[in-house]
């Protein structure tokens, strides 16, 4: 016969949940964190600060939670929520549909968007416009025109010499006269002080007039296109201009997902600092990433060399991440719903 004491122990064991069972909050939470200033800032081996850290500490105090912070990179941070090695994750974690299938999110505590960081460009002056016109390509074009006009002028002198007093016989004055005629004809000025009188000379004149129209039109279009392209490259206004730039972003981020979905070529970096350094060195034209993280990184180490475009795009909602079915979600959401107005500056 089973004793009364044994029966009591059996009932107690059957009615008392085991530590760590589903639906039960562990006695000591393991909270994953990753360095994402200004939300999570690692100041030392076990010293953490930042907006998200302050939020978590306030939540833990109100819910009387015991916890330890465990640093991880973003990949192992999210993986830890799936495999159960983490009870929560605190960082600038964007809520996405794909992530929602893998683990749970609390209510968002911060709403922002993606932004574009580019090299700082000082205001243009009149001298910048002057330099943009007188480039090596422009000077090479002028030399090509001069050589072509000299060739046509010399050919006209060879045809007209001895028959037309407007083109003297000696090579020096004769070629100069032919060059003068070729230049004013190409410029469509046509002073009429020098006119070919022979049939071959007039045929050459007609061909040169027609060729001059084509040459000048093509040259003008090429110069205008080059100047316009330079202005467009210097004036990146938003995501619609990313297709003509050398773009970078942080690997395994929502900004990488955005660039991939938009079918844009990009270069991935393991760390935001590496991407910003690539802009400074001229390897990249722009970095696409979360606006608050770019703002903090530029202000910290790149304020004189990089700048952030004013437009934001592709909304990003930051939330605390929890394992699927975590009993912490509802009490945390109640507190966040109560304090939502004070979590983010207007």
């Amino acid at each position: 016969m089973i004793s009364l004491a044994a029966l009591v122990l059996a009932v107690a064991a059957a009615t008392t949940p085991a530590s760590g069972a589903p639906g039960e909050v562990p006695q000591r939470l393991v909270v994953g964190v990753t360095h994402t200033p200004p939300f999570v800032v690692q100041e030392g081996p076990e010293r953490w600060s930042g907006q998200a850290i302050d939020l978590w500490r306030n939540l833990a105090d109100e819910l009387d939670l015991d916890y330890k912070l465990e640093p991880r990179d973003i990949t192992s941070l999210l993986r830890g929520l799936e495999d159960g090695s983490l009870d929560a994750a605190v960082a600038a974690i964007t809520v996405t549909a794909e992530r929602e299938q893998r683990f749970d999110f609390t209510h968002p505590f911060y709403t922002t968007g993606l932004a574009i960081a580019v090299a700082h460009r000082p205001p243009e002056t009149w001298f910048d416009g002057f330099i943009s016109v007188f480039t090596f390509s422009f000077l090479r074009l002028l030399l090509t025109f001069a050589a072509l006009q000299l060739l046509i002028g010399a050919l006209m002198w060879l045809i007209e010499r001895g028959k037309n007093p407007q083109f003297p016989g000696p090579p020096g004055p004769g070629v100069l006269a032919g060059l003068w005629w070729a230049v004013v004809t190409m410029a469509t000025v046509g002073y009429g002080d020098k006119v070919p009188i022979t049939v071959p000379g007039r045929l050459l004149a007609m061909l040169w007039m027609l060729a001059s129209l084509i040459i000048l039109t093509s040259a003008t279009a090429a110069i205008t296109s080059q100047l316009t392209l330079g202005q467009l490259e210097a004036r990146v206004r938003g995501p619609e201009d990313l297709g003509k730039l050398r773009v970078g972003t942080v690997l395994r981020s929502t900004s990488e997902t955005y660039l991939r979905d938009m079918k844009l070529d990009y270069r991935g970096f393991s760390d935001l600092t590496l991407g910003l350094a690539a802009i400074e060195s001229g390897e990249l034209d722009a970095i696409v990433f979360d606006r608050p993280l770019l703002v903090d990184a530029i202000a910290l180490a790149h304020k004189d060399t990089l700048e952030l475009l004013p437009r934001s795009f592709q909304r990003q909602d930051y939330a605390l991440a929890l394992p699927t079915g975590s009993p912490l979600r509802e009490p945390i959401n109640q507190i966040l719903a109560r304090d939502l107005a004070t979590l983010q500056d207007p």
Side-chain angles (χ1 to χ4, degrees), residues 5 32 273 286 293 301 323 331 342:
T273 304
L293 306 188
T342 62

Side-chain angles (χ1 to χ4, degrees), residues 30-277:
V30 180
V31 180
V33 291
T34 188
H35 184 69
T36 48
F39 296 94
V40 177
V41 181
Q42 186 171 16
E43 298 179 340
E46 296 184 1
R47 294 180 56 195
W48 298 87
S49 63
Q51 299 177 25
I53 293 295
D54 292 341
L55 172 64
W56 171 256
R57 285 172 176 157
N58 291 336
L59 291 169
D61 288 344
E62 187 161 346
L63 296 174
D64 195 23
L65 301 175
D66 185 22
Y67 63 91
K68 69 172 183 177
L69 300 179
E70 183 174 301
R72 296 192 179 190
D73 60 48
I74 187 64
T75 301
S76 60
L77 190 76
L78 303 184
R79 188 182 300 120
L81 295 169
E82 295 181 281
D83 62 25
S85 60
L86 293 179
D87 299 302
V90 178
I93 305 175
T94 302
V95 179
T96 67
E98 184 271 333
R99 290 174 178 176
E100 187 69 55
Q101 295 175 354
R102 298 164 54 192
F103 41 80
D104 284 343
F105 285 103
T106 66
H107 291 327
F109 64 84
Y110 196 94
T111 297
T112 182
L114 300 182
I116 302 172
V118 296
H120 177 68
R121 295 181 181 272
E124 291 190 358
T125 64
W126 67 268
F127 185 72
D128 296 320
F130 178 82
I131 293 298
S132 65
V133 173
F134 290 95
T135 61
F136 176 75
S137 298
F138 181 75
L139 295 177
R140 184 174 57 185
L141 183 63
L142 287 181
L143 291 176
T144 302
F145 279 179
L148 184 59
Q149 289 162 347
L150 180 60
L151 176 63
I152 295 299
L155 184 59
M156 179 60 73
W157 168 72
L158 288 174
I159 294 173
E160 294 289 313
R161 67 176 178 170
K163 303 169 187 176
N164 189 341
Q166 300 173 14
F167 297 90
V175 172
L176 286 176
L179 178 60
W180 170 259
W181 171 84
V183 171
V184 297
T185 301
M186 171 173 271
T188 67
V189 175
Y191 288 118
D193 57 337
K194 297 186 185 302
V195 180
I197 60 175
T198 65
V199 173
R202 289 180 176 179
L203 288 175
L204 177 61
M206 287 188 292
L207 289 174
W208 181 238
M209 291 175 191
L210 294 174
S212 296
L213 291 175
I214 297 173
I215 292 172
L216 285 177
T217 302
S218 301
T220 302
I223 293 173
T224 303
S225 176
Q226 183 66 29
L227 291 176
T228 302
L229 181 61
Q231 291 178 349
L232 288 175
E233 290 178 348
R235 297 178 183 177
V236 181
R237 293 183 174 87
E240 64 276 7
D241 298 321
L242 291 174
K244 62 188 179 185
L245 303 176
R246 297 170 298 168
V247 181
T249 190
V250 177
L251 293 171
R252 296 176 293 279
S253 65
T254 52
S255 53
E256 182 186 22
T257 303
Y258 169 81
L259 294 174
R260 188 168 56 244
D261 291 344
M262 296 300 292
K263 296 180 171 56
L264 295 172
D265 293 330
Y266 64 90
R267 179 179 169 187
F269 295 88
S270 60
D271 184 81
L272 177 59
T273 304
L274 299 176
L276 297 179

